[in-house]
Amino acid sequence: MAEDVSFTAELKDAIAPRTVLLVLGVLALQLGFVASYVGAFHHPTAHDLRVGIVGPSSITARVEQQLKDSVGDEVSVTRLQQRATAVEQIRQDRLHAALVVDSGGTTDELLVASGGGSSLVSAVQQAAEQAEAEQQRSLTTTDLVPLQSGDARGLSGFYLTIGWLVGGYLMASLLGVARGSRPANPRRAVIRLLAQLPYAAAAGLGGALVVDQWLGALTGHFWALAGTGTLLVLAAATVTTALQVLCGTLGIGLAVLVFVVLGNPSAGGAFGWPLLPWLWRTIGPWLPNGAGTEALRRTVYFAGRDAGGYLLVIALWAAVGVVVTLAVSRWRHSREAVAA
Protein backbone atom coordinates (compact mmCIF):
# COMPACT_ATOMS: atom_id res chain seq x y z
CA MET A 1 0.00 0.00 0.00
CA ALA A 2 1.33 3.39 -0.98
CA GLU A 3 2.65 5.44 1.89
CA ASP A 4 0.55 8.51 2.77
CA VAL A 5 2.11 11.79 1.68
CA SER A 6 1.47 14.94 3.65
CA PHE A 7 -0.51 17.72 1.97
CA THR A 8 2.47 20.08 2.21
CA ALA A 9 4.76 17.63 0.47
CA GLU A 10 2.11 16.98 -2.19
CA LEU A 11 1.70 20.70 -2.73
CA LYS A 12 5.43 21.26 -3.12
CA ASP A 13 5.62 18.41 -5.60
CA ALA A 14 2.61 19.61 -7.61
CA ILE A 15 3.55 23.29 -7.71
CA ALA A 16 7.26 23.95 -7.91
CA PRO A 17 8.69 27.21 -6.50
CA ARG A 18 9.66 28.23 -10.04
CA THR A 19 6.04 27.85 -11.11
CA VAL A 20 4.93 30.08 -8.25
CA LEU A 21 7.37 32.76 -9.40
CA LEU A 22 6.09 32.50 -12.97
CA VAL A 23 2.48 32.82 -11.77
CA LEU A 24 3.42 35.89 -9.74
CA GLY A 25 5.03 37.29 -12.87
CA VAL A 26 1.81 36.71 -14.81
CA LEU A 27 -0.13 38.49 -12.05
CA ALA A 28 2.25 41.45 -12.27
CA LEU A 29 1.79 41.58 -16.06
CA GLN A 30 -1.98 41.43 -15.66
CA LEU A 31 -2.05 44.32 -13.20
CA GLY A 32 0.44 46.21 -15.33
CA PHE A 33 -1.85 45.75 -18.33
CA VAL A 34 -4.77 47.26 -16.42
CA ALA A 35 -2.70 50.12 -15.03
CA SER A 36 -1.14 50.95 -18.40
CA TYR A 37 -4.32 50.94 -20.47
CA VAL A 38 -6.52 52.69 -17.92
CA GLY A 39 -3.73 55.13 -17.06
CA ALA A 40 -3.31 56.07 -20.72
CA PHE A 41 -6.97 56.34 -21.69
CA HIS A 42 -9.05 57.24 -18.63
CA HIS A 43 -8.64 61.02 -18.90
CA PRO A 44 -7.38 62.25 -22.30
CA THR A 45 -6.07 65.80 -22.00
CA ALA A 46 -4.55 67.99 -24.68
CA HIS A 47 -0.77 68.49 -24.66
CA ASP A 48 1.20 70.46 -27.23
CA LEU A 49 -1.66 71.02 -29.69
CA ARG A 50 -0.39 73.00 -32.68
CA VAL A 51 -3.10 75.29 -34.00
CA GLY A 52 -2.86 78.04 -36.61
CA ILE A 53 -5.11 81.09 -36.77
CA VAL A 54 -5.76 83.32 -39.79
CA GLY A 55 -7.54 86.67 -39.78
CA PRO A 56 -7.44 90.24 -38.55
CA SER A 57 -5.81 90.64 -35.16
CA SER A 58 -8.78 92.62 -33.85
CA ILE A 59 -10.81 89.40 -33.92
CA THR A 60 -8.18 86.64 -33.74
CA ALA A 61 -6.65 88.00 -30.52
CA ARG A 62 -9.89 87.46 -28.64
CA VAL A 63 -10.50 84.04 -30.18
CA GLU A 64 -6.89 82.99 -29.47
CA GLN A 65 -7.17 84.00 -25.82
CA GLN A 66 -10.46 82.17 -25.47
CA LEU A 67 -8.91 79.08 -27.07
CA LYS A 68 -6.03 79.15 -24.58
CA ASP A 69 -8.48 79.66 -21.72
CA SER A 70 -10.38 76.60 -22.94
CA VAL A 71 -7.42 74.26 -23.52
CA GLY A 72 -4.74 75.82 -21.32
CA ASP A 73 -1.09 76.52 -22.01
CA GLU A 74 -0.77 73.19 -23.81
CA VAL A 75 -2.06 74.76 -27.05
CA SER A 76 0.53 76.45 -29.27
CA VAL A 77 -1.12 79.07 -31.50
CA THR A 78 0.66 80.29 -34.65
CA ARG A 79 -0.68 83.37 -36.42
CA LEU A 80 -0.70 83.03 -40.20
CA GLN A 81 -1.34 85.57 -42.92
CA GLN A 82 -3.16 83.43 -45.45
CA ARG A 83 -5.53 80.47 -45.50
CA ALA A 84 -3.35 78.82 -48.17
CA THR A 85 -0.41 78.76 -45.75
CA ALA A 86 -2.56 77.07 -43.11
CA VAL A 87 -3.77 74.51 -45.66
CA GLU A 88 -0.18 73.65 -46.66
CA GLN A 89 1.02 73.27 -43.07
CA ILE A 90 -1.88 71.00 -42.13
CA ARG A 91 -1.34 68.81 -45.18
CA GLN A 92 2.34 68.53 -44.19
CA ASP A 93 1.34 67.67 -40.60
CA ARG A 94 3.03 70.77 -39.17
CA LEU A 95 -0.25 71.92 -37.62
CA HIS A 96 -3.01 69.85 -36.07
CA ALA A 97 -5.64 72.39 -37.13
CA ALA A 98 -6.13 76.00 -38.15
CA LEU A 99 -8.90 78.50 -37.52
CA VAL A 100 -9.70 80.90 -40.36
CA VAL A 101 -11.57 83.91 -38.98
CA ASP A 102 -14.11 85.60 -41.25
CA SER A 103 -13.51 89.34 -40.97
CA GLY A 104 -16.78 90.16 -42.68
CA GLY A 105 -19.08 87.86 -40.72
CA THR A 106 -19.40 85.67 -37.67
CA THR A 107 -18.95 82.20 -39.21
CA ASP A 108 -15.35 80.99 -39.07
CA GLU A 109 -13.73 77.92 -40.66
CA LEU A 110 -11.80 75.22 -38.80
CA LEU A 111 -9.31 73.35 -40.99
CA VAL A 112 -8.47 69.84 -39.76
CA ALA A 113 -6.82 66.60 -40.91
CA SER A 114 -8.68 63.52 -39.70
CA GLY A 115 -5.99 61.39 -41.34
CA GLY A 116 -3.70 62.58 -38.56
CA GLY A 117 -6.02 61.15 -35.92
CA SER A 118 -9.75 61.49 -35.39
CA SER A 119 -9.26 61.88 -31.62
CA LEU A 120 -7.13 64.98 -32.23
CA VAL A 121 -9.76 66.43 -34.55
CA SER A 122 -12.45 65.89 -31.90
CA ALA A 123 -10.32 67.55 -29.21
CA VAL A 124 -9.48 70.60 -31.34
CA GLN A 125 -13.04 70.92 -32.63
CA GLN A 126 -14.48 70.84 -29.14
CA ALA A 127 -12.05 73.51 -27.91
CA ALA A 128 -12.63 75.70 -30.97
CA GLU A 129 -16.42 75.46 -30.68
CA GLN A 130 -16.23 76.51 -27.05
CA ALA A 131 -13.95 79.44 -27.88
CA GLU A 132 -16.19 80.54 -30.74
CA ALA A 133 -19.33 80.33 -28.62
CA GLU A 134 -17.79 82.63 -26.03
CA GLN A 135 -17.28 85.23 -28.78
CA GLN A 136 -20.80 84.74 -30.21
CA ARG A 137 -19.35 83.23 -33.37
CA SER A 138 -20.14 79.98 -35.19
CA LEU A 139 -17.92 77.40 -36.86
CA THR A 140 -17.78 75.22 -39.96
CA THR A 141 -15.21 72.43 -40.38
CA THR A 142 -13.21 71.53 -43.49
CA ASP A 143 -11.32 68.23 -43.49
CA LEU A 144 -8.21 68.68 -45.63
CA VAL A 145 -6.89 65.12 -45.12
CA PRO A 146 -10.00 62.95 -44.82
CA LEU A 147 -9.89 59.33 -43.81
CA GLN A 148 -10.17 56.70 -46.50
CA SER A 149 -13.67 55.29 -46.79
CA GLY A 150 -12.66 51.94 -45.30
CA ASP A 151 -10.62 53.37 -42.43
CA ALA A 152 -13.23 54.15 -39.79
CA ARG A 153 -11.86 56.51 -37.12
CA GLY A 154 -8.37 56.09 -38.59
CA LEU A 155 -7.63 52.98 -36.52
CA SER A 156 -6.83 50.49 -39.31
CA GLY A 157 -3.09 51.23 -39.24
CA PHE A 158 -3.01 50.85 -35.47
CA TYR A 159 -4.71 47.45 -35.51
CA LEU A 160 -2.60 46.34 -38.46
CA THR A 161 0.55 47.23 -36.50
CA ILE A 162 -0.70 45.29 -33.47
CA GLY A 163 -1.45 42.26 -35.63
CA TRP A 164 2.02 42.24 -37.13
CA LEU A 165 3.73 42.63 -33.75
CA VAL A 166 1.61 39.92 -32.12
CA GLY A 167 2.51 37.54 -34.93
CA GLY A 168 6.19 38.33 -34.57
CA TYR A 169 6.51 37.70 -30.86
CA LEU A 170 4.20 34.66 -30.94
CA MET A 171 6.27 33.09 -33.72
CA ALA A 172 9.51 33.63 -31.80
CA SER A 173 7.87 32.37 -28.59
CA LEU A 174 6.71 29.18 -30.29
CA LEU A 175 10.19 28.52 -31.63
CA GLY A 176 11.50 28.91 -28.10
CA VAL A 177 8.87 26.64 -26.56
CA ALA A 178 9.37 23.98 -29.22
CA ARG A 179 13.17 23.87 -29.15
CA GLY A 180 14.21 25.55 -25.93
CA SER A 181 14.13 29.21 -25.05
CA ARG A 182 17.89 29.48 -25.41
CA PRO A 183 19.41 28.09 -28.65
CA ALA A 184 21.90 25.30 -27.97
CA ASN A 185 24.72 27.11 -29.75
CA PRO A 186 25.39 30.20 -31.90
CA ARG A 187 24.68 28.26 -35.09
CA ARG A 188 21.21 27.37 -33.81
CA ALA A 189 20.68 31.04 -32.96
CA VAL A 190 21.54 32.02 -36.53
CA ILE A 191 19.17 29.37 -37.90
CA ARG A 192 16.38 30.60 -35.65
CA LEU A 193 16.90 34.20 -36.76
CA LEU A 194 17.03 33.21 -40.43
CA ALA A 195 13.78 31.28 -40.03
CA GLN A 196 12.11 34.52 -39.03
CA LEU A 197 12.86 36.18 -42.38
CA PRO A 198 10.42 34.24 -44.61
CA TYR A 199 7.77 34.39 -41.89
CA ALA A 200 8.14 38.17 -41.61
CA ALA A 201 7.95 38.60 -45.38
CA ALA A 202 4.85 36.41 -45.60
CA ALA A 203 3.20 38.23 -42.70
CA GLY A 204 3.99 41.66 -44.16
CA LEU A 205 2.67 40.69 -47.56
CA GLY A 206 -0.39 38.98 -46.09
CA GLY A 207 -1.29 41.93 -43.90
CA ALA A 208 -1.05 44.31 -46.85
CA LEU A 209 -3.25 42.01 -48.94
CA VAL A 210 -5.89 41.94 -46.20
CA VAL A 211 -6.13 45.69 -45.52
CA ASP A 212 -5.58 46.85 -49.11
CA GLN A 213 -6.84 44.30 -51.61
CA TRP A 214 -9.44 42.48 -49.53
CA LEU A 215 -10.93 44.97 -47.05
CA GLY A 216 -10.05 48.24 -48.79
CA ALA A 217 -9.18 49.81 -45.43
CA LEU A 218 -5.80 51.33 -46.43
CA THR A 219 -5.39 51.51 -50.18
CA GLY A 220 -2.88 52.85 -52.66
CA HIS A 221 0.33 52.00 -50.80
CA PHE A 222 0.52 48.21 -51.03
CA TRP A 223 4.28 47.67 -51.14
CA ALA A 224 4.99 50.34 -48.55
CA LEU A 225 2.55 48.60 -46.20
CA ALA A 226 4.08 45.18 -46.91
CA GLY A 227 7.61 46.46 -46.27
CA THR A 228 6.62 48.17 -43.03
CA GLY A 229 4.86 45.01 -41.88
CA THR A 230 7.88 42.85 -42.64
CA LEU A 231 10.07 45.18 -40.59
CA LEU A 232 7.61 45.21 -37.67
CA VAL A 233 7.36 41.41 -37.56
CA LEU A 234 11.15 41.11 -37.64
CA ALA A 235 11.50 43.61 -34.82
CA ALA A 236 9.03 41.76 -32.61
CA ALA A 237 10.50 38.34 -33.43
CA THR A 238 14.18 39.22 -32.98
CA VAL A 239 13.58 41.17 -29.76
CA THR A 240 11.53 38.30 -28.32
CA THR A 241 14.27 35.85 -29.28
CA ALA A 242 16.87 38.08 -27.63
CA LEU A 243 14.81 38.30 -24.44
CA GLN A 244 14.48 34.50 -24.38
CA VAL A 245 18.22 34.08 -24.86
CA LEU A 246 18.80 36.46 -21.96
CA CYS A 247 16.07 35.32 -19.57
CA GLY A 248 14.73 31.97 -20.76
CA THR A 249 10.96 31.49 -20.56
CA LEU A 250 10.69 34.73 -18.62
CA GLY A 251 11.70 36.48 -21.84
CA ILE A 252 8.25 35.78 -23.31
CA GLY A 253 6.69 37.71 -20.44
CA LEU A 254 9.11 40.57 -21.00
CA ALA A 255 8.14 40.66 -24.66
CA VAL A 256 4.49 40.96 -23.64
CA LEU A 257 5.48 43.80 -21.31
CA VAL A 258 7.19 45.70 -24.13
CA PHE A 259 4.77 45.06 -26.99
CA VAL A 260 1.43 44.79 -25.18
CA VAL A 261 1.51 46.41 -21.74
CA LEU A 262 3.62 49.43 -22.73
CA GLY A 263 3.50 49.45 -26.52
CA ASN A 264 -0.20 49.33 -27.38
CA PRO A 265 -1.58 52.14 -25.20
CA SER A 266 1.32 54.43 -26.12
CA ALA A 267 1.06 53.82 -29.87
CA GLY A 268 -1.12 56.86 -30.59
CA GLY A 269 -3.92 54.75 -32.03
CA ALA A 270 -7.04 55.14 -29.93
CA PHE A 271 -5.81 58.56 -28.74
CA GLY A 272 -3.13 60.61 -30.46
CA TRP A 273 0.11 61.34 -28.60
CA PRO A 274 -0.89 64.95 -27.76
CA LEU A 275 -3.83 63.55 -25.77
CA LEU A 276 -1.89 60.99 -23.73
CA PRO A 277 -0.25 61.44 -20.30
CA TRP A 278 3.47 62.22 -20.17
CA LEU A 279 4.80 58.65 -19.85
CA TRP A 280 2.87 57.24 -22.78
CA ARG A 281 3.37 60.14 -25.19
CA THR A 282 7.10 60.11 -24.34
CA ILE A 283 7.79 56.42 -24.93
CA GLY A 284 5.28 56.01 -27.77
CA PRO A 285 7.44 57.20 -30.69
CA TRP A 286 10.36 55.01 -29.52
CA LEU A 287 8.49 51.70 -29.32
CA PRO A 288 7.71 49.60 -32.42
CA ASN A 289 3.96 49.94 -31.80
CA GLY A 290 3.98 53.72 -31.96
CA ALA A 291 6.64 53.94 -34.66
CA GLY A 292 4.71 51.46 -36.83
CA THR A 293 1.36 53.18 -36.33
CA GLU A 294 2.80 56.59 -37.16
CA ALA A 295 4.80 55.31 -40.14
CA LEU A 296 1.64 53.83 -41.65
CA ARG A 297 -0.35 57.00 -40.94
CA ARG A 298 2.23 59.20 -42.61
CA THR A 299 2.59 56.82 -45.55
CA VAL A 300 -1.13 56.67 -46.27
CA TYR A 301 -2.22 60.23 -45.41
CA PHE A 302 0.81 62.53 -45.56
CA ALA A 303 2.69 61.29 -48.65
CA GLY A 304 5.28 59.55 -46.49
CA ARG A 305 6.51 62.76 -44.82
CA ASP A 306 8.89 61.86 -41.94
CA ALA A 307 7.90 58.18 -42.15
CA GLY A 308 11.56 57.26 -42.61
CA GLY A 309 12.45 58.28 -39.06
CA TYR A 310 9.84 55.94 -37.62
CA LEU A 311 10.94 53.11 -39.90
CA LEU A 312 14.48 53.65 -38.63
CA VAL A 313 13.25 53.20 -35.04
CA ILE A 314 11.68 49.86 -35.98
CA ALA A 315 14.82 48.77 -37.84
CA LEU A 316 16.97 49.61 -34.80
CA TRP A 317 14.79 47.38 -32.60
CA ALA A 318 15.22 44.54 -35.08
CA ALA A 319 18.98 45.10 -35.28
CA VAL A 320 19.36 45.18 -31.48
CA GLY A 321 17.40 41.93 -31.26
CA VAL A 322 19.76 40.23 -33.74
CA VAL A 323 22.94 41.55 -32.11
CA VAL A 324 21.87 40.61 -28.57
CA THR A 325 20.75 37.15 -29.66
CA LEU A 326 24.03 36.37 -31.41
CA ALA A 327 26.27 37.94 -28.77
CA VAL A 328 24.62 36.30 -25.76
CA SER A 329 24.37 32.92 -27.53
CA ARG A 330 28.08 33.01 -28.32
CA TRP A 331 28.94 34.09 -24.77
CA ARG A 332 26.84 31.34 -23.18
CA HIS A 333 28.27 28.71 -25.52
CA SER A 334 31.83 29.80 -24.75
CA ARG A 335 31.19 29.76 -21.02
CA GLU A 336 29.66 26.27 -21.18
CA ALA A 337 32.60 25.02 -23.25
CA VAL A 338 35.07 26.34 -20.66
CA ALA A 339 33.05 24.80 -17.83
CA ALA A 340 33.07 21.42 -19.58
Side-chain angles (χ1 to χ4, degrees):
M1 185 173 180
E3 183 177 338
D4 289 338
V5 179
S6 68
F7 175 77
T8 302
E10 191 75 26
L11 180 63
K12 288 181 178 179
D13 184 63
I15 305 177
R18 182 174 180 272
T19 304
V20 174
L21 292 176
L22 289 174
V23 170
L24 290 175
V26 170
L27 177 61
L29 274 179
Q30 179 182 356
L31 297 178
F33 181 96
V34 174
S36 186
Y37 278 71
V38 176
F41 300 148
H42 79 291
H43 185 55
T45 306
H47 304 276
D48 191 28
L49 282 178
R50 303 186 305 274
V51 178
I53 190 165
V54 182
S57 58
S58 59
I59 303 176
T60 58
R62 297 195 303 269
V63 176
E64 177 183 342
Q65 186 57 52
Q66 193 61 49
L67 187 62
K68 289 185 175 180
D69 291 342
S70 174
V71 180
D73 293 334
E74 295 294 344
V75 61
S76 172
V77 178
T78 302
R79 294 197 181 190
L80 304 171
Q81 297 299 316
Q82 297 180 342
R83 180 183 184 277
T85 304
V87 169
E88 180 184 3
Q89 294 202 18
I90 289 173
R91 285 179 171 162
Q92 293 181 354
D93 199 31
R94 292 195 177 101
L95 292 175
H96 293 122
L99 183 64
V100 181
V101 176
D102 182 4
S103 59
T106 59
T107 301
D108 301 330
E109 181 185 22
L110 181 66
L111 306 176
V112 299
S114 58
S118 57
S119 60
L120 288 178
V121 171
S122 298
V124 173
Q125 192 167 17
Q126 182 180 358
E129 287 175 349
Q130 183 177 342
E132 291 280 291
E134 293 290 337
Q135 299 298 321
Q136 287 79 50
R137 303 181 69 85
S138 58
L139 194 68
T140 61
T141 301
T142 301
D143 195 346
L144 298 175
V145 188
L147 294 170
Q148 294 190 2
S149 59
D151 187 18
R153 297 185 60 212
L155 292 175
S156 298
F158 170 56
Y159 291 123
L160 180 59
T161 296
I162 291 176
W164 276 326
L165 291 173
V166 167
Y169 72 69
L170 283 181
M171 183 266 189
S173 299
L174 288 174
L175 284 178
V177 170
R179 292 296 181 182
S181 297
R182 296 187 175 103
N185 53 57
R187 182 181 297 177
R188 291 287 184 93
V190 171
I191 292 172
R192 187 171 294 185
L193 291 172
L194 290 175
Q196 295 169 3
L197 288 172
Y199 177 87
L205 187 63
L209 284 170
V210 169
V211 300
D212 186 340
Q213 303 299 308
W214 179 21
L215 298 178
L218 299 174
T219 61
H221 306 272
F222 179 84
W223 290 110
L225 296 184
T228 302
T230 300
L231 197 57
L232 280 167
V233 175
L234 277 177
T238 59
V239 169
T240 301
T241 300
L243 290 172
Q244 289 182 99
V245 169
L246 282 167
C247 307
T249 305
L250 180 61
I252 298 175
L254 294 176
V256 172
L257 174 66
V258 172
F259 295 115
V260 179
V261 175
L262 295 176
N264 286 347
S266 66
F271 291 101
W273 287 325
L275 300 178
L276 294 178
W278 176 83
L279 173 63
W280 290 267
R281 70 175 184 270
T282 300
I283 66 175
W286 302 102
L287 294 177
N289 311 56
T293 299
E294 193 63 21
L296 293 177
R297 181 179 290 144
R298 290 175 180 273
T299 296
V300 174
Y301 292 111
F302 295 100
R305 183 179 181 273
D306 294 334
Y310 294 103
L311 294 175
L312 178 60
V313 170
I314 303 168
L316 287 174
W317 277 86
V320 168
V322 171
V323 170
V324 171
T325 297
L326 296 178
V328 176
S329 295
R330 182 177 296 276
W331 174 74
R332 287 186 179 278
H333 185 66
S334 299
R335 190 179 66 170
E336 291 171 359
V338 170

